């Protein structure tokens, strides 16, 4: 009969233990029974904030619920263990059930530390650690007006930003004289503070909370210095408290500041009981990051199997995520070693602070701090961890000898094979190279799959990419970003093949140059290329389009679609406004002004789309291509026709430019903006191209975007007349369309373009490649084929017939249901 | 181990004429009140059918997904969040917890028939 291991705690460490167990020889001799107190199986707590912002629990699970059973592991969630009987070797749960163990593993993690402040029990006070905590905060938010977070450390800042983004003005209350006192020095913390204040996060330092005031529920905080803060929602993030209550009850040794004491083999004093993860104290400390906890799980699986592995401590470098600005500290960040030298770079205007600590002889990097920009983090961490000898000008690391691989002359190639690249999964450079070389993993997703590197926090992904590129270069090869398993070509190569061989359809392309039936990756790429090259009406290729392009509308909840007519430059006559109103009323569509200065009509069934569009087109509207990877809107400000500051007529220019490029298909969507002066009311610099009037003409900016990773556009050329501005735009857009990878927006394309902005300026403005005229001609040709695709569809009965839900019935899809909201309707939840 | 569940077809129901279905793509049909997604792999002369409801979020959308193959096996990707399903056995290729019901299809006299248990 098999012996039984009982694991208490199904958190991140507990899961890692299961995973390592399932892959070890232990499965032959042991059965594993796991208890978790929470409702869900183990999930990615590190990304708890993405649960806050809407990711569904299933996507954060470390393994699907069925995984455990499939691997012969019995998982009992929602069952808390309340006591351990070491003599009888049994444990009992809150469900009053008792279970026997041969080996007991405690992985009970920690709970949020809640300081004993008067009034802390009031309603509206929360912690930030579990799904359940988040659910409670979310439920309370609608009742709250103003939030406070106690704790200005790693987690407190993350929680504060989440609550702020949820719409509540938020203050951070920190006891220490600076933010993140454990990771940052005063200068770095000061820059971070001003960065946070820019996002409207209030930062209160040197504040010790005496009391939480309010009648039943919280109304504010009172500090020991006599001052007060209004707040009706409070999140406490003042540190963690290891959950050692079971160990204590069982009579095992716990540390005076909390935590189950184990040795480096994860053993307690009881030979049958082990403990791992955030609940333990080993080498005299609690290890509050996931990577060392994972390491402990791995060590323990080896040891139960008869090995003698040891946990020897771990790099505690950390990078703060999700707060809208980069913050990282690594190695000995606050070093006070005698004779240590520091290099500091500070740019208050841009909110950037960087510090490197060098050994007294200047040869080695000991650690450092990065605030505002932290691209160099991965490489610097490696330089510290691998004790690499520094190059002559280590300041290049932070001042940027840009464009090269790691800056400052050290590249991934210089790292020793033992360098740990993925610290979550503990994968070394050697293992990754092995996967590339021996297992043929010549793409980052393959490396991920094969080694598990990059599957944790994902922070090492850029390094995986660098390693692969470096390896391929060393073999005299190039990393070719081929489309998918059906085409051994890059997007750019396919572009040329289609153009040169005059290929007009997907079946022709795959027969001639690919294999198989295609897939959801290569089909839309081909559709986009065919459109970018021939600009024919895309409905001809309907089944290779993503659904939005197939039905010329964006699909939404419950499978209904939206209708967005083009309103160039955001300018619209009252008569046209009335038509939109009438159509919306007739078809009972929800209407909303979009962020792109036009009007979206939501909730149309697929069979209604042609008649809705027919009425709009009869009134002079055209498709707004809100569904396409194509030109969306060119936003305008009112400009010199009305505005007292206007330098030029921005509306007319925006209308002209939008009409010029409407219908243009590109690797990703394109947005533009035209502002009448530097006040920039059209936000043109947050667009793929932006034009801003000056007293001498127009400034042209390129490669900006909003979205998840906002980036301001760069100045391409200044003080242009209109004709030159359009000429450069033609060249720029065509160059982008021809050379960018699939779904790569202009900003990302520029960041990957070798030579960067300087090179782009050379090609577009100086015409260094001599292709300027060709690009302009290609653009002219494309534009000349423009047609409003909705007009084509509504006038063509055969194409119109494609817009129905069932091909054998006129019944409507009964799955579509609505509920009322503020006088309109919205889709009912599925 | 692969297990194959073979269900006896009780009845073949006429869905629609071939020309009603797009080439190399999918469309939905309504059969006995049930929404069924039918896929036409024109290039290989093969047909497949599955439930139209995506088990991920319950959207009636599988028929509007992009079809194709992975290592030679036919599949469809739901247009909502790109879960991919095998058209041979309905298994979700990206998330083991999901499964589509599949139906046998045959083509006779220019019409597509769906086999119902
Ligand atoms: C309707 C609208 C929101 C609103 O009610 O205001 C909207 C709605 C959608 N946006 Fe947006 N975005 C809208 C303005 C914006 C803006 C603001 C702007 O354009 O000034 C941005 C930030 C600016 C930018 O793009 O740089 C924006 C950034 C995104 C992104 C992130 C892009 C990025 O590069 O990070 C996506 C995702 C994507 O395209 O891959 C997205 C995707 C979407 C999609 C298409 C998601 C989808 O596939 O279903 C939404 C479709 C809604 C629909 O059914 O029509 N939407 N979206 C806005 C339509 C503008 C228009 O008139 O066409
Ligand atoms: C918001 C947030 C952001 C974070 N960000 C980062 C980051 O960026 N990088 C990083 O490295 N780390 C981060 N962490 C820390 C990381 O999540 C922890 O280090 C990690 O979760 C520790 O894993 P664990 O399994 O030891 O503990 P936990 O994940 O806490 O799991 C312990 C589990 O055991 C259960 N349990 C406890 N007692 C019992 C009992 N008696 N019976 C049954 N079940 C029990 C608990 O309910 C819990 O589910 C973050 C944490 C939070 C909260
Ligand atoms: S950008 Fe200039 S012209 Fe346009 S509205 Fe603002 S101030 Fe007026
Ligand atoms: S509804 Fe199909 S993948 Fe989400």
């Amino acid at each position: 009969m098999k012996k039984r291991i009982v694991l208490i705690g199904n958190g991140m460490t507990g899961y890692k233990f299961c995973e390592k167990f399932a892959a070890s020889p232990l499965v032959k001799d042991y059965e594993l029974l796991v208890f978790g107190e929470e409702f869900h199986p183990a999930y990615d707590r590190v990304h708890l904030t993405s649960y806050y912002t809407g990711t569904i629990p299933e996507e954060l699970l470390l393994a699907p619920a069925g995984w455990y059973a499939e691997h012969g592991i019995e998982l009992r969630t929602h069952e808390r263990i309340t006591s351990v009987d070491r003599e009888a070797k049994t444990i009992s749960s809150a469900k009053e059930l008792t279970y026997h163990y041969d080996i007991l593993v405690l992985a009970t993690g920690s709970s949020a530390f809640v300081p004993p402040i008067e009034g802390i029990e009031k309603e509206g006070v929360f912690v930030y650690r579990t799904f359940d905590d988040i659910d409670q905060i979310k439920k309370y938010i609608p009742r709250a007006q103003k939030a406070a977070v106690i704790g200005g450390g790693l987690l407190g800042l993350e929680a504060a930003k989440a609550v702020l983004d949820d719409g509540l003005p938020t203050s951070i209350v920190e006891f220490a004289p600076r933010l993140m006192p454990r990771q940052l020095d005063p200068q770095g913390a000061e820059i971070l503070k001003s960065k946070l204040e820019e996002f409207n996060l209030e930062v209160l330092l040197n504040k010790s909370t005496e009391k939480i005031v309010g009648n039943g529920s919280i109304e504010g905080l009172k500090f020991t210095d006599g001052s007060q803060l209004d707040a009706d929602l409070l999140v406490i993030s003042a540190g963690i408290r290891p959950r050692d209550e079971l160990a204590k009850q069982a009579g095992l040794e716990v540390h005076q500041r909390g935590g189950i004491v184990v040795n480096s083999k994860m053993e307690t004093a009881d030979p049958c009981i082990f403990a791992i993860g955030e609940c333990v104290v080993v080498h005299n400390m609690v290890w509050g990051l996931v990577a060392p906890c994972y390491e402990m799980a791995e060590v323990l699986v080896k040891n139960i199997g008869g090995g003698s592995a040891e946990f020897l401590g771990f790099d505690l470098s950390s990078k703060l995520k999700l707060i809208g600005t980069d913050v990282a500290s690594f190695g000995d960040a606050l070093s006070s070693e005698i004779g240590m030298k520091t290099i500091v770079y500070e740019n208050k205007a841009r909110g950037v602070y960087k510090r490197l600590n060098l050994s007294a002889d200047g040869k080695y990097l000991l650690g450092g701090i990065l605030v505002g920009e932290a691209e160099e983090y991965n490489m610097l961490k490696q330089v510290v961890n691998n004790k690499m000898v520094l190059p002559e000008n280590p300041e290049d690391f932070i001042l940027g000898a840009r464009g090269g691989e790691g800056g400052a002359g050290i590249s991934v190639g210089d790292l020793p094979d033992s360098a740990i690249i993925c610290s979550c999964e503990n994968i070394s450079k050697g293992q990754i190279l092995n996967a590339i070389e021996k297992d043929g993993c010549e793409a980052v997703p393959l490396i991920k799959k094969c080694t598990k590197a990059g599957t944790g926090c994902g922070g090492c992904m850029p390094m995986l990419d660098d390693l692969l590129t470096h390896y391929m270069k060393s073999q005299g090869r190039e990393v070719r970003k081929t489309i998918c398993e059906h085409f051994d070509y890059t997007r750019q190569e396919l572009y040329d093949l289609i153009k040169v061989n005059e290929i007009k359809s997907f079946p022709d392309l795959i027969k001639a140059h690919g294999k198989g039936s295609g897939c959801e990756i290569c089909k839309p790429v081909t559709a986009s290329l065919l459109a970018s090259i021939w600009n024919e009406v895309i409905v001809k290729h309907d089944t290779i389009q993503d659904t939005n392009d197939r039905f010329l509308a964006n699909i939404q909840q419950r499978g209904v679609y939206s209708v967005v007519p083009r309103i160039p430059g955001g300018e619209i006559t009252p008569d046209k406004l009335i038509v939109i109103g009438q159509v919306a009323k007739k078809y009972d569509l929800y209407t909303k002004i979009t962020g792109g200065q036009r009007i979206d009509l939501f909730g149309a069934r697929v069979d209604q789309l042609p008649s809705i569009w027919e009425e709009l087109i009869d009134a002079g509207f055209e498709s707004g291509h809100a569904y396409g990877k194509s030109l969306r809107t060119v936003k305008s400000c009112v400009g010199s026709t009305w505005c007292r500051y206007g330098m030029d007529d921005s509306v007319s220019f925006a209308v002209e430019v939008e009409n010029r490029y409407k219908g243009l298909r590109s690797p990703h969507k394109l947005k533009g903006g035209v502002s009448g002066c530097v006040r920039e009311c059209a936000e043109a610099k947050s667009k793929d191209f932006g034009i801003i009037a000056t007293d001498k003409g127009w400034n042209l900016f390129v490669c900006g975007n909003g979205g998840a990773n906002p980036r301001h556009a760069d100045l391409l050329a200044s003080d242009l007349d209109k004709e030159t501005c359009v000429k450069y735009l033609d060249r720029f857009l065509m160059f982008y369309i021809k050379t960018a990878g699939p779904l790569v927006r202009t900003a990302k394309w520029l960041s990957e373009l070798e030579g960067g902005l300087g090179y782009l300026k050379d090609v577009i403005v100086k015409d260094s490649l001599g292709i300027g005229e060709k690009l302009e001609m290609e653009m002219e040709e494309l534009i000349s084929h423009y047609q409003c695709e909705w007009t084509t569809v509504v006038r063509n009965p055969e194409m119109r017939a494609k817009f129905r839900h069932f091909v054998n019935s006129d019944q409507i899809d009964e799955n579509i249901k609505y509920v009322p909201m503020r006088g309109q309707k919205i889709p009912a939840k599925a | 181990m692969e297990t194959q569940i073979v269900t006896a077809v009780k009845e073949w129901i006429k869905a629609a004429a071939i020309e009603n279905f797009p080439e190399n793509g999918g469309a939905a049909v309504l059969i006995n009140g049930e929404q069924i997604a039918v896929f036409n792999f024109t290039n290989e002369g093969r047909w497949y059918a599955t439930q139209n409801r995506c088990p991920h979020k319950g959207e009636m959308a599988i028929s509007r997904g992009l079809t194709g193959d992975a290592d030679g096996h036919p599949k469809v990707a739901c247009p909502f969040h790109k879960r991919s399903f095998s058209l041979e056995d309905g298994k979700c290729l990206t998330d083991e917890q999901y499964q589509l019901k599949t139906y046998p299809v045959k083509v006779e006299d220019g019409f597509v028939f769906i086999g119902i248990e």
Side-chain angles (χ1 to χ4, degrees):
Chain A
M1 219 184 79
K2 283 188 182 180
K3 290 197 201 160
R4 182 193 267 177
I5 302 178
V6 169
L7 168 65
I8 305 179
N10 184 222
M12 298 191 76
T13 312
Y15 166 72
K16 183 54 68 176
F17 182 87
C18 295
E19 184 194 304
K20 294 287 170 193
F21 170 86
S24 78
L26 290 184
V27 287
K28 288 204 300 285
D29 303 322
Y30 292 93
E31 58 175 45
L32 178 57
L33 172 61
V34 186
F35 292 89
E37 172 190 40
E38 293 184 67
F39 179 80
H40 288 275
Y43 52 87
D44 183 359
R45 200 177 305 285
V46 169
H47 290 102
L48 189 66
T49 298
S50 59
Y51 177 62
Y52 190 103
T53 54
T55 305
I56 54 169
E58 285 70 28
E59 295 200 1
L60 288 169
L61 295 188
L62 295 174
W67 179 89
Y68 298 86
E70 277 163 35
H71 291 80
I73 298 170
E74 185 180 348
L75 172 64
R76 304 181 70 108
T77 53
H78 212 43
E79 182 163 355
R80 185 167 56 89
I81 302 302
T82 48
S83 65
V84 179
D85 182 339
R86 281 167 57 191
E87 220 139 274
K89 288 209 195 172
T90 58
I91 53 162
S92 307
S93 77
K95 293 189 175 159
E96 298 191 349
L97 295 169
T98 299
Y99 306 84
H100 164 78
Y101 66 80
D102 294 297
I103 289 180
L104 183 65
V105 178
L106 300 169
T108 47
S110 1
S111 51
F113 169 62
V114 180
I117 302 170
E118 187 187 332
I120 200 102
E121 71 296 335
K122 289 198 199 310
E123 220 193 338
V125 180
F126 303 95
V127 294
Y128 196 86
R129 173 127 197 132
T130 63
F131 279 169
D132 200 38
D133 296 334
I134 304 293
D135 291 340
Q136 292 190 27
I137 296 176
K138 281 277 183 195
K139 222 160 65 198
Y140 202 81
I141 287 249
R143 292 172 51 187
Q145 309 282 332
K146 166 131 193 0
V149 173
I150 293 189
L154 221 62
L155 298 188
L157 295 184
E158 200 178 311
K161 183 71 175 13
V163 180
L164 176 80
D165 288 345
D166 222 3
L168 285 190
T170 304
S171 312
I172 297 171
V173 179
E174 169 59 47
F175 175 72
R178 63 172 191 268
L179 290 170
M180 297 181 67
R182 290 209 283 169
Q183 287 90 3
L184 298 183
D185 61 5
Q187 251 174 306
E190 186 54 36
I191 296 260
L192 175 60
K193 175 165 176 274
S194 40
K195 261 292 187 303
L196 297 181
E197 284 164 350
E198 267 175 39
F199 313 137
N200 284 326
L201 265 176
E202 187 186 29
V203 179
L204 303 171
L205 302 172
N206 288 313
K207 291 282 180 203
S208 157
T209 311
E210 183 184 311
K211 187 170 161 184
I212 290 164
V213 292
N215 193 356
S217 51
I218 171 173
E219 283 160 23
L221 281 72
K222 189 159 178 282
F223 304 114
T224 47
D225 62 7
S227 59
Q228 294 231 24
L229 175 71
D230 283 343
D232 49 12
L233 186 153
L234 174 66
V235 179
I236 305 223
S237 182
I240 54 171
R241 173 59 41 104
R243 294 195 50 182
D244 55 13
E245 67 270 10
L246 267 182
K248 224 186 256 170
Q249 176 273 330
L252 296 166
E253 184 189 353
V254 299
H255 195 270
Q256 54 191 7
R257 273 177 288 126
I260 308 167
V261 177
V262 293
N263 64 17
S264 58
K265 293 181 173 160
M266 316 322 298
E267 299 166 338
T268 67
D270 182 326
C272 299
I273 305 185
F274 304 86
I276 51 177
E278 230 175 50
C279 61
V280 309
V281 166
V282 52
H283 300 302
N284 241 325
M285 63 182 279
V286 174
W287 299 76
L289 290 175
V290 71
C293 292
Y294 278 5
E295 167 84 3
M296 293 181 213
E298 193 172 352
V299 163
L300 181 58
V301 168
K302 283 189 190 145
N303 289 349
I304 296 178
S308 60
E310 281 183 83
F311 173 80
L312 297 172
F314 216 89
D315 170 28
L316 286 181
S317 303
S318 49
K319 190 168 168 201
L320 193 57
K321 51 192 189 301
L322 302 165
I323 65 158
T325 183
D326 281 333
V327 182
S329 74
F330 54 93
D332 190 357
L334 303 173
S335 183
S336 50
E337 196 171 292
I338 306 165
M340 177 202 68
K341 295 182 188 155
T342 58
I343 302 177
V344 169
Y345 166 78
E346 183 173 8
N347 183 334
K348 284 213 167 108
R350 282 178 48 229
V352 176
Y353 172 78
K354 303 180 179 188
R355 161 175 165 176
L356 297 182
N357 303 329
L358 311 188
S359 60
D361 56 10
K363 273 198 181 142
Y364 299 99
L365 186 60
L366 304 174
I369 293 171
L370 304 167
V371 179
E373 259 175 23
E375 286 146 36
E376 314 87 340
Y377 169 72
N378 274 324
M379 200 61 211
L380 290 171
K381 199 172 82 172
Q382 293 293 346
V383 174
V384 174
N385 292 353
N386 296 295
K387 301 217 166 41
M388 295 169 75
V389 178
L390 287 174
E392 216 167 299
N393 302 313
E395 61 275 15
D396 286 354
F397 273 125
I398 50 175
L399 298 177
R402 308 218 40 168
E405 271 179 66
I410 291 195
S411 84
V412 285
D414 302 319
L415 296 177
D417 277 0
S418 60
I420 298 300
I421 303 293
C422 171
S423 47
C424 296
E425 296 289 335
N426 207 9
I427 309 293
S428 68
K429 174 181 163 186
Q431 285 166 291
I432 290 166
L433 286 183
N434 208 29
I436 300 175
E437 226 165 340
K438 304 261 157 60
D439 303 324
C441 299
E442 294 186 357
V444 172
L446 293 176
I447 300 179
K448 255 178 98 171
K449 207 165 161 189
C450 179
T451 62
K452 293 206 107 203
T455 56
C457 71
C460 62
M461 296 289 283
M463 277 214 137
L464 296 183
D465 203 48
D466 284 352
L467 268 174
L468 181 63
T469 311
H470 183 85
Y471 172 82
M472 297 299 260
K473 272 197 185 145
S474 73
Q475 303 290 303
R477 293 160 61 197
E478 237 180 284
V479 184
R480 293 182 352 123
K481 302 217 158 122
T482 56
I483 304 283
C484 66
E485 65 173 90
H486 304 102
F487 288 97
D488 198 16
Y489 295 103
T490 62
R491 180 182 180 277
Q492 198 171 351
E493 288 163 346
L494 279 186
Y495 183 102
D496 293 336
L497 282 172
I498 292 174
K499 184 143 196 187
V500 173
N501 299 316
E502 299 205 10
I503 292 172
K504 299 277 172 92
S505 78
F506 183 78
D508 289 348
L509 181 69
I510 197 160
K511 217 184 287 154
H513 302 287
K515 59 168 194 267
S517 300
C519 66
E520 73 277 14
I521 297 167
C522 59
K523 283 181 170 179
V525 168
T526 306
S528 157
L529 286 170
L530 290 172
S532 282
I533 297 169
W534 311 120
N535 208 1
E536 292 175 334
V537 65
I538 64 169
V539 190
K540 269 179 77 175
H541 310 289
D542 61 339
T543 57
I544 60 166
Q545 313 278 357
D546 263 323
T547 187
N548 288 355
D549 276 311
R550 178 169 177 187
F551 295 105
L552 305 178
N554 285 321
I555 198 167
Q556 307 178 304
Q557 312 263 10
R558 310 264 73 183
V560 294
Y561 289 89
S562 68
V563 171
V564 189
R566 187 167 294 291
I567 300 179
E571 181 188 63
I572 186 165
T573 61
D575 280 334
K576 280 184 138 181
L577 267 178
I578 288 169
V579 173
I580 291 190
Q582 283 166 338
V583 171
K585 216 165 165 177
K586 175 164 167 195
Y587 292 90
D588 191 17
L589 303 172
Y590 169 99
T591 58
K592 178 181 181 301
I593 309 289
T594 72
Q597 290 189 337
R598 46 193 189 171
I599 299 171
D600 202 338
L601 315 177
F602 297 86
R605 292 193 317 265
V606 68
D607 57 288
Q608 294 178 313
L609 287 170
S611 21
I612 292 172
W613 274 105
E614 188 163 34
E615 293 189 26
L616 290 169
I617 286 163
D618 287 345
F621 284 103
E622 290 182 316
S623 168
H625 299 97
Y627 43 82
K629 298 299 173 219
S630 58
L631 182 81
R632 297 288 170 85
T633 65
V634 179
K635 239 168 123 164
S636 76
C637 77
V638 61
S640 60
T641 48
W642 293 90
C643 176
R644 62 192 165 137
Y645 294 116
M647 311 295 301
D648 212 328
D649 180 0
S650 46
V651 181
S652 297
F653 203 9
V655 172
E656 186 185 318
V657 173
E658 181 158 342
N659 280 327
R660 181 172 182 80
Y661 301 118
K662 65 189 173 191
L664 185 69
R665 300 279 157 170
S666 42
H668 204 308
K669 62 189 176 193
L670 286 170
K671 297 182 178 183
V674 185
S675 277
C677 80
V678 288
R679 286 172 192 75
E680 247 283 76
C681 301
E683 300 171 301
K685 273 160 88 176
S686 67
K687 304 293 178 213
D688 298 276
F689 58 87
I691 304 170
I692 300 174
T694 68
D695 55 352
K696 297 190 210 64
W698 302 92
N699 283 352
L700 176 58
F701 295 82
V702 293
C703 301
N705 65 218
N709 293 304
R711 180 184 189 279
H712 267 156
D714 287 308
L715 184 64
L716 187 75
S718 36
D719 302 325
L720 306 171
D721 56 46
K722 258 187 173 179
E723 290 65 38
T724 316
C725 187
V726 170
K727 178 166 101 177
Y728 288 170
L729 255 180
D730 277 0
R731 292 179 180 183
F732 164 72
L733 291 174
M734 206 61 219
F735 189 49
Y736 161 67
I737 289 173
K738 292 180 76 161
T739 60
L743 297 181
V744 175
R745 258 185 106 169
T746 53
K748 181 131 190 293
W749 168 71
L750 178 61
S751 74
E752 290 166 356
L753 193 67
E754 229 164 285
L757 183 66
Y759 175 71
L760 186 63
K761 279 186 184 163
D762 285 348
V763 174
I764 305 300
V765 180
K766 294 198 194 133
D767 198 8
S768 60
L769 299 180
I771 55 171
E773 214 168 304
K774 180 156 171 270
L775 294 173
E776 288 163 47
M777 271 163 52
E778 285 174 321
M779 181 60 85
E780 274 308 330
E781 165 78 15
L782 270 186
I783 292 172
S784 71
H785 292 294
Y786 168 78
Q787 48 182 311
C788 163
E789 48 217 18
W790 266 116
T791 308
T792 313
V793 170
V794 299
R795 308 267 187 262
N796 179 325
E798 209 179 298
M799 288 185 180
R800 246 185 122 129
K802 296 182 179 201
F803 291 79
R804 56 193 302 205
H805 188 70
F806 299 112
V807 294
N808 67 340
S809 161
D810 284 331
Q811 277 196 38
I812 58 173
D813 176 4
E814 283 184 355
N815 193 43
I816 300 176
K817 296 200 177 65
Y818 302 99
V819 291
M821 187 179 206
R822 288 185 294 278
Q824 303 197 63
K825 67 172 188 194
I826 57 166
K829 291 280 170 245
Chain B
M1 258 301 287
E2 291 246 335
T3 48
Q4 192 116 36
I5 306 157
V6 184
T7 44
V9 172
K10 277 217 195 100
E11 194 185 353
W12 287 100
I13 299 191
K14 191 190 260 185
I18 290 181
E19 59 273 15
N20 283 308
F21 295 91
E23 295 189 359
N24 293 310
V29 293
L30 189 63
I31 287 186
N32 296 347
E34 229 176 297
Q35 298 202 15
I36 295 179
V38 180
F39 301 98
N40 176 5
F41 279 59
T42 323
N43 61 332
E44 304 171 12
R46 285 190 288 169
W47 293 78
Y48 301 93
T50 68
Q51 70 188 57
N52 194 28
R53 181 179 178 281
C54 178
H56 176 228
K57 290 275 155 147
E59 303 286 7
M60 286 294 181
I62 294 293
S63 62
R64 297 183 207 170
L66 282 165
T67 55
D69 74 87
D71 292 332
H73 295 283
K75 63 165 191 168
V76 60
C78 174
F80 270 85
H81 315 97
K82 299 280 156 72
R83 299 287 185 285
S84 272
F85 299 88
S86 156
L87 289 174
E88 282 164 345
D89 58 13
K91 269 205 190 108
C92 181
L93 304 168
T94 39
D95 197 335
E96 26 192 314
Q97 58 177 312
Y98 301 121
Q99 168 82 43
L100 290 180
K101 187 170 161 45
T102 58
Y103 300 84
V105 190
K106 70 174 181 184
V107 177
E108 258 173 37
D109 305 329
F111 282 91
V112 176
F113 292 80
I114 309 291
I116 304 290
E117 304 161 19

